[in-house]
Amino acid sequence: MREKINAALKQAMRDKAAIRLSTLRLVNAAIKDRDIAARAGGGDEGASDAEVLAILGKMSKQRMESARAYEEGGRLDLAEREREEIGVIEEFLPRQLSEEEVANAVSDAIETSGAESIRDMGKVMGILKEKYTGQMDFGSVGPVVKDKLC
């Protein structure tokens, strides 16, 4: 994952694509911050690919919220820039699962964990986060898991 991001960064430098370059630099900085935090915590390794996907997902979500705020404030130019950054970030994220695929994944996770009640929701969410990081919005998956467990 890191290699793909670094290769894209170098290509953006060659192409003189300013927005793409600045976005990829921000991504690299966030990954390096996570690496430093992991090493400070006693780990020899840096951020794993799953953590990189989580970072990218968080950055994408932050930009969506910023774009909405800019639109509400009448700053369409800034909202458009945020959307361009989202496009760059999402190039590195896996394809998002459809609602049907999310429902199937939730059912499989419930079956795998042996969850029977709402108290087992943490187990189910743990399995989903392990398998589907970056492929689904866990904020919207929580209510689906609750519905299936109740």
Side-chain angles (χ1 to χ4, degrees):
M1 191 67 154
R2 293 169 189 266
E3 292 83 27
K4 284 175 58 178
I5 293 170
N6 284 328
L9 181 77
K10 289 174 186 173
Q11 188 60 45
M13 283 183 206
R14 284 186 215 112
D15 295 343
K16 296 183 181 11
I19 292 174
R20 183 172 177 78
L21 180 62
S22 67
T23 303
L24 291 171
R25 283 183 173 155
L26 287 171
V27 168
N28 251 353
I31 292 170
K32 286 179 183 177
D33 285 345
R34 181 66 57 94
D35 287 344
I36 291 167
R39 287 190 200 111
D44 293 336
E45 297 291 317
S48 67
D49 277 352
E51 289 176 313
V52 171
L53 287 175
I55 291 168
L56 293 173
K58 183 178 178 183
M59 291 179 82
S60 177
K61 192 172 183 179
Q62 287 172 337
R63 278 154 184 74
M64 282 184 210
E65 292 169 4
S66 295
R68 263 189 241 115
Y70 286 139
E71 282 178 353
E72 290 170 7
R75 296 297 309 266
L76 299 180
D77 56 327
L78 294 175
E80 184 58 35
R81 181 178 168 103
E82 294 293 322
R83 281 199 195 82
E84 288 176 28
E85 289 183 5
I86 291 169
V88 172
I89 293 167
E90 288 183 345
E91 287 176 27
F92 301 98
L93 288 172
R95 178 186 68 82
Q96 294 293 302
L97 298 178
S98 68
E99 286 183 29
E100 184 179 320
E101 290 170 322
V102 168
N104 291 337
V106 168
S107 296
D108 290 345
I110 290 171
E111 192 175 307
T112 302
S113 68
E116 296 175 1
S117 70
I118 196 72
R119 284 180 277 145
D120 299 321
M121 186 172 171
K123 292 179 191 174
V124 175
M125 292 300 283
I127 290 171
L128 290 172
K129 285 183 179 181
E130 186 178 309
K131 285 186 177 180
Y132 301 103
T133 299
Q135 293 181 298
M136 60 174 71
D137 176 20
F138 292 102
S140 63
V141 170
V144 174
V145 173
K146 272 186 184 175
D147 288 345
K148 292 201 180 223
L149 289 175
C150 289

